[in-house]
């Protein structure tokens, strides 16, 4: 089959690789019909390369048709249409029972002290072959796959794999309620969908912050009040502008949908680039023990949030020695919630919204639909934020 394969920093290729096979009775194999390109994939393209191995298959946002199932997958049959959550979870352990599927005790990658295995996402999370491919082996298929009806286009359901539950969890962790205010840092796929979900759940004021014109325009059309980072000479000006429209306090909650590759943070960027120039074994040890992130987005979130407010982090961070402004965090009495989205925990809340009325605007959420063969061009375009790219879907 064809698949998107990692070969090095900014080097992904579409190659022929062996077809996946059933290995365990709880496996399934699906024929992929759509697969997303995620902002998290860009971390593998640029920053987290020390944890990658040439030949790794990328991608973690698929849906498709069941081709084959193992003997212990009673609720799936060939021909079923399914969405595959990006994490691999068993559904029966204590963590899954608590709705923390990203901490599944059956698939935890204990060798690296990590949570549940993820599709297409570094040795830290199991080096499981990913979903930007023609076919996918799905472990723990007795629980993970989400069956969806035949009929509507893939766009209606494919975001259940990651974008929708990640944004939904970000908003829930932010404590957004009717009448509250929330600022969203970063208006890529997760940030844009977080704005839509926050408005759907009754937030009185949704503030979107970015520096990419197309992203700002889209959030404005969705009803957010937007601020362009590049319109301010210094961060203090942005902070004051946001305070001015939130009663002088700042928003009740801030969602950091940016993560480790934040705009700015030159020192953090230099440290990440230096690690990328080292031999892979050295770089891996450095990143796992003394890695740093580019923290400008998180520091801005801390400055923006009102006293007693909440910060919800959905952007991926990977540093182990990140400096944090503990004095400010403690003095402002901030609450922090963060982590990879627990897809199955939120799926039942989201599915009723995937109707013909399309209240979350999933049908036209993708800005680009590209054949799998164009994956190298898509990664470059998305990383450079070129051609208005906000969300890319691949068709194998």
């Amino acid at each position: 089959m064809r698949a998107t394969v990692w070969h090095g920093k900014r080097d992904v290729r579409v190659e022929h690789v062996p077809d996946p096979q059933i290995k365990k009775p709880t496996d399934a194999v699906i024929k992929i019909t759509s697969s997303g390109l995620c902002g998290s994939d860009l971390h593998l393209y640029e920053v987290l390369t020390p944890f990658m191995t040439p030949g790794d298959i990328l991608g973690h946002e698929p849906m498709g048709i069941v081709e084959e199932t193992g003997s212990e997958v009673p609720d799936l049959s060939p021909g079923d249409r399914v969405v595959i959550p990006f994490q691999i979870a068993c559904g029966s352990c204590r963590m899954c029972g608590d709705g923390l599927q990203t901490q599944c005790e059956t698939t935890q990658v204990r060798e690296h002290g990590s949570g549940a295995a993820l599709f297409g996402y570094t040795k830290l999370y199991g080096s499981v072959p990913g979903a930007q491919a023609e076919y996918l082996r799905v472990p723990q298929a007795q629980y993970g796959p989400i069956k969806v009806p035949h009929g509507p286009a893939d766009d209606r359901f494919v975001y259940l794999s990651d974008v929708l539950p990640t944004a939904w969890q970000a908003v829930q962790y932010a404590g957004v309620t009717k009448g509250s205010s929330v600022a969203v840092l970063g208006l890529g796929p997760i940030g844009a969908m977080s704005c839509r979900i926050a408005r759907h759940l009754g937030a009185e004021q949704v503030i979107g912050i970015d520096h990419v014109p197309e992203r700002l325009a889209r959030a404005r059309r969705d009803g957010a009040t937007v601020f362009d980072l590049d319109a301010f000479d210094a961060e203090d000006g942005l902070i004051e502008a946001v305070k001015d429209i939130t009663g002088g306090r700042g928003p009740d909650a801030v969602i950091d949908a940016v993560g480790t590759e934040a705009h700015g943070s030159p020192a953090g960027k230099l440290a990440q680039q230096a690690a990328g120039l080292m031999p892979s074994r050295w770089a891996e040890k450095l990143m796992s023990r003394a890695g740093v992130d580019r923290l400008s987005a998180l520091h801005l979130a801390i400055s923006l949030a009102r006293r007693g407010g909440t910060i919800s982090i959905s952007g991926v961070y990977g540093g182990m020695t990140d400096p944090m402004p503990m004095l400010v965090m403690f003095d402002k009495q901030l609450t922090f919630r963060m982590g990879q989205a627990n897809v199955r925990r939120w799926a039942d809340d989201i599915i009723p919204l995937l109707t013909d009325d399309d209240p979350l605007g999933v049908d036209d959420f993708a800005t680009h639909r590209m054949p799998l063969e164009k994956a190298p061009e898509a990664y470059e375009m998305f990383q450079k934020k070129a051609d208005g790219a906000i969300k890319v879907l691949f068709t194998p």
Side-chain angles (χ1 to χ4, degrees), residues 183-249:
V184 180
L185 303 184
L187 298 173
I190 303 305
M193 187 57 73
S194 294
C195 288
R196 295 182 181 188
I197 291 170
R199 285 182 55 80
H200 175 76
L201 294 179
E204 180 177 339
Q205 195 169 38
V206 178
I207 301 162
I209 300 172
D210 206 301
H211 68 105
V212 180
E214 295 87 352
R215 297 181 177 191
L216 291 163
R218 187 180 205 183
R220 186 183 294 112
R221 290 195 300 270
D222 290 340
T225 302
V226 301
F227 289 95
D228 183 351
L229 286 166
D230 292 340
F232 298 89
D233 294 330
E235 185 177 285
D236 288 348
L238 171 63
I239 294 168
E240 288 305 312
V242 173
K243 283 186 176 180
D244 284 345
I245 65 168
T246 53
R249 299 186 186 92

Side-chain angles (χ1 to χ4, degrees), residues 6 36-49 52 58-61 86 118-122 125 132 162-163 166 188-190 215 257-261 314-317 339-341 379 382-383 390-391:
W6 187 92
L37 173 57
C38 180
S40 298
D41 294 322
L42 294 186
H43 301 324
L44 313 182
Y45 191 66
E46 180 78 23
V47 174
L48 298 180
T49 57
M52 297 293 289
L58 299 170
H60 58 268
E61 297 186 348
F86 70 89
L118 309 178
F119 288 105
Y121 214 79
T122 84
Y125 291 98
Q132 290 168 10
D162 184 349
V163 172
T166 297
I190 303 305
R215 297 181 177 191
V258 179
T260 186
E261 293 188 86
S314 62
V316 174
Y317 287 96
Q340 302 273 13
Y379 270 81
F382 193 31
Q383 203 247 357
I390 299 176
K391 187 61 185 177

Side-chain angles (χ1 to χ4, degrees), residues 119-170:
F119 288 105
Y121 214 79
T122 84
K123 66 180 68 175
L124 295 180
Y125 291 98
S127 294
V128 181
Q132 290 168 10
E134 291 184 284
Y135 294 89
L136 179 70
R137 171 180 168 256
V138 181
Q140 303 297 326
Q142 82 288 349
Y143 174 69
I146 301 168
K147 286 200 284 190
V148 296
H150 290 273
D154 282 5
D155 295 53
R156 182 72 56 84
F157 303 113
V158 67
Y159 305 115
L160 276 171
S161 60
D162 184 349
V163 172
L164 282 168
T166 297
W168 192 275
Q169 178 171 294

